[in-house]
């Protein structure tokens, strides 16, 4: 069973950047489409971005399109979420999740499609 782990969160000023990472120390992520989600206390978990198994297809929520970039390096067994031009409303716990059933070339930002979840990394955007 996958145990995905997120890292890279922190405190950043508005307009700043972070690179979030998602990896698993025991199993390869290359077999899975990966989604990034975020959640603020009291609100539903929101799909932010996703990437297909081979990295050829990506998708983004409208709220982050043009500011966030998802990528994967299967040789390093890591999926990245580059978050730029951060806004205070981007403050949330960011989760990485793996989808075991996505067809090749597709990915999902629907949390119900995910099979394995990390524990999250906190991103705080504040001056």
């Amino acid at each position: 069973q996958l145990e995905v782990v997120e890292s890279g969160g922190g405190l950043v000023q508005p307009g700043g950047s972070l690179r979030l990472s998602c990896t698993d120390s025991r199993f390869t992520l290359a077999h899975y489409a990966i989604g990034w989600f975020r959640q603020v206390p009291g609100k539903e978990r929101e799909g932010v971005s996703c990437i297909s198994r081979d990295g050829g297809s990506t998708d983004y929520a409208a709220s982050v399109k043009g500011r966030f970039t998802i990528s994967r390096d299967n040789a390093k067994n890591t999926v990245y979420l580059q978050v730029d031009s951060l806004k205070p409303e981007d403050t949330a716990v960011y989760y990485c999740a793996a989808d075991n059933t996505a067809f090749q070339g597709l990915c999902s930002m629907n949390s119900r499609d995910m099979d394995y979840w990390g524990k999250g990394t906190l991103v705080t955007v504040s001056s």
Side-chain angles (χ1 to χ4, degrees), residues 23-40:
T23 190
D24 186 293
S25 63
R26 299 185 301 159
F27 298 104
T28 179
L29 294 181
H31 301 312
Y32 302 86
I34 300 294
W36 280 98
F37 299 79
R38 64 186 181 186
Q39 189 169 25
V40 175

Side-chain angles (χ1 to χ4, degrees), residues 4 6 35-49 61 63 91-98 108-121:
V4 294
E6 306 91 339
W36 280 98
F37 299 79
R38 64 186 181 186
Q39 189 169 25
V40 175
K43 294 189 176 182
E44 289 190 1
R45 191 167 294 187
E46 172 192 18
V48 173
S49 183
S63 58
T91 295
V93 177
Y94 283 71
Y95 297 91
C96 167
S108 170
M109 292 190 293
N110 187 331
S111 61
R112 289 172 291 183
D113 291 333
M114 301 297 117
D115 299 292
Y116 305 101
W117 290 85
K119 295 181 179 180
T121 185

Side-chain angles (χ1 to χ4, degrees), residues 5-72:
V5 177
E6 306 91 339
S7 62
L11 173 63
V12 63
Q13 293 186 343
S17 299
L18 290 170
R19 188 175 76 162
L20 309 183
S21 298
C22 171
T23 190
D24 186 293
S25 63
R26 299 185 301 159
F27 298 104
T28 179
L29 294 181
H31 301 312
Y32 302 86
I34 300 294
W36 280 98
F37 299 79
R38 64 186 181 186
Q39 189 169 25
V40 175
K43 294 189 176 182
E44 289 190 1
R45 191 167 294 187
E46 172 192 18
V48 173
S49 183
C50 69
I51 189 166
S52 60
R53 297 179 187 186
D54 62 0
S57 296
T58 60
D59 199 5
Y60 298 91
S63 58
V64 306
K65 193 170 292 186
R67 300 189 297 120
F68 290 11
T69 304
I70 192 170
S71 62
R72 69 190 305 161

Side-chain angles (χ1 to χ4, degrees), residues 76-92:
K76 295 183 177 180
N77 204 36
T78 302
V79 175
Y80 303 100
L81 186 68
Q82 179 69 35
V83 295
D84 298 320
S85 302
L86 282 163
K87 305 175 182 180
E89 52 264 42
D90 294 317
T91 295

